[in-house]
Amino acid sequence: MAADLGDLSAFVAVAQAGGFRDGARATGVSASGLSEAVRRLEARLGVRLLHRTTRSVAPTEAGARLLERLTPALGEVAAALDVVNGFRDRPAGTLRLNVPVSAARLVLPGIVPAFLAAYPDIRLDVVAEDSFVDVLAAGCDAGIRYDERLEQDMIAVPIGPREQRFATAASPAYLARRGRPGHPRDLLGHACIRGRFASGAMTAWEFERDGESVRVDPSGPLVVRVGGATDLAVDAAVAGVGLVTLFEDWLRPHLDSGALEPVLEPWWPRFPGPFLYYPGRRHLPAPLRAFVDFVGRHRPAAKG
């Protein structure tokens, strides 16, 4: 009753992703190919492993038991095969990263081109999203997160700027029309462009100065989904719709060009930069080890 390793891997990918399409995205194998592999495995074992509906796929009791045992076993197989990478002149393989959209825009551009030039046999697969996911269950090797969202059983190393700020800005036309806020509470009388996370929670507007912290909940004519629609918020601010609060580095080109003007700058809050995080395995896949080492060698100096 020996099962094909590829069929077992296909089952794990589909079960972890919760569907054939998402499993296909995680593995690079077509959804039809995964479906056929799972059917072969079920026929060989003589038991149904997945409940299939038009909307979702979930393991049966037998499938859940198999998944529980297979996941670490396949991880060991992958680690064993990756040992061969140590005998190559250059590490090879695919490195999958799960990162917030802000990191894809503000952190990775300063790292990825040089990394890929240094390791031409590594393929980097980046998933950018702002919903909190288990990177391993999502089929990724590592992720980028900020300190408040790090999982405790993961190793975290600094990546990107070690300190960042949230900036508030508006167009010159808006400020000429509505006036310039002098205190964060003045924002309650202004049009503010808000962001909403996938969870439905609104982004916080927080400020601090000389030990005083102020949190306000302003309103405005536009709410955008954090991540995918953030550029719309910036474009709307440039067009004079209202004030926007965002990573300073995201707004910096518009601040430098004069399309936006800083507002309440003495109140802009600072926060620690992001971390690359990954499971604390004794043996890391060669592409991930290369990336961790590269990030360590090219870590930016802390600002004084």
Side-chain angles (χ1 to χ4, degrees):
M1 196 185 289
D4 181 87
L5 186 60
D7 292 350
L8 292 170
S9 297
F11 161 70
V12 170
V14 172
Q16 290 182 335
F20 289 96
R21 287 186 179 180
D22 289 339
R25 293 191 191 99
T27 62
V29 178
S30 69
S32 61
L34 292 176
S35 179
E36 179 59 32
V38 172
R39 277 198 295 267
R40 271 197 311 268
L41 181 60
E42 289 178 327
R44 185 173 291 119
L45 298 178
V47 63
R48 181 175 291 276
L49 299 174
L50 295 174
H51 291 299
R52 301 164 176 83
T53 70
T54 56
R55 293 188 176 183
S56 66
V57 172
T60 63
E61 183 178 356
R65 293 287 184 89
L66 180 60
L67 181 65
E68 182 181 353
R69 299 293 295 272
L70 267 183
T71 302
L74 289 178
E76 286 298 316
V77 170
L81 292 174
D82 191 68
V83 169
V84 178
N85 250 329
F87 294 90
R88 294 173 53 92
D89 293 333
R90 298 181 302 200
T94 298
L95 171 61
R96 294 183 177 87
L97 299 178
N98 183 283
V99 308
V101 173
S102 59
R105 184 183 182 102
L106 305 176
V107 176
L108 290 183
I111 297 172
V112 166
F115 173 74
L116 293 178
Y119 298 97
D121 294 330
I122 291 178
R123 176 177 176 265
L124 192 58
D125 185 346
V126 178
V127 177
E129 57 185 354
D130 281 285
S131 56
F132 185 71
V133 300
D134 182 329
V135 295
L136 298 182
C140 294
D141 301 295
I144 294 178
R145 293 288 185 273
Y146 285 86
D147 186 53
E148 71 275 10
R149 299 182 72 181
L150 291 175
E151 297 176 36
Q152 294 183 353
D153 58 346
M154 305 288 267
I155 294 175
V157 297
I159 185 172
R162 296 323 312 138
E163 184 179 80
Q164 294 179 274
R165 289 197 299 179
F166 278 117
T168 302
S171 71
Y174 175 88
L175 295 174
R177 186 173 73 250
R178 298 289 300 271
R180 181 180 294 273
H183 189 278
R185 295 190 185 90
D186 295 340
L187 295 173
L188 296 175
H190 280 266
C192 295
I193 301 169
R194 300 297 302 271
R196 178 182 285 117
F197 293 108
S199 65
M202 301 289 282
T203 56
W205 283 47
E206 298 176 328
F207 302 87
E208 58 186 30
R209 181 181 185 181
D210 299 330
E212 179 185 1
S213 297
V214 178
R215 181 185 179 114
V216 295
D217 187 23
S219 61
L222 178 63
V223 177
V224 303
R225 171 75 174 266
V226 171
T230 300
D231 279 331
L232 173 60
V234 177
D235 292 342
V238 170
V241 171
L243 293 107
V244 65
T245 285
L246 193 60
F247 291 90
E248 179 184 1
D249 292 340
W250 201 316
L251 297 180
R252 178 50 55 192
H254 302 288
L255 294 169
D256 289 344
S257 71
L260 292 175
E261 293 185 9
V263 173
L264 300 171
E265 186 168 3
W267 288 89
W268 290 359
R270 299 177 183 271
F271 57 96
F275 294 83
L276 172 71
Y277 80 115
Y278 54 92
R281 301 172 183 157
R282 184 168 52 185
H283 176 78
L284 294 181
L288 177 55
R289 170 51 61 195
F291 190 70
V292 170
D293 292 343
F294 185 88
V295 167
R297 293 195 302 270
H298 297 80
R299 189 173 302 157
K303 294 180 181 180

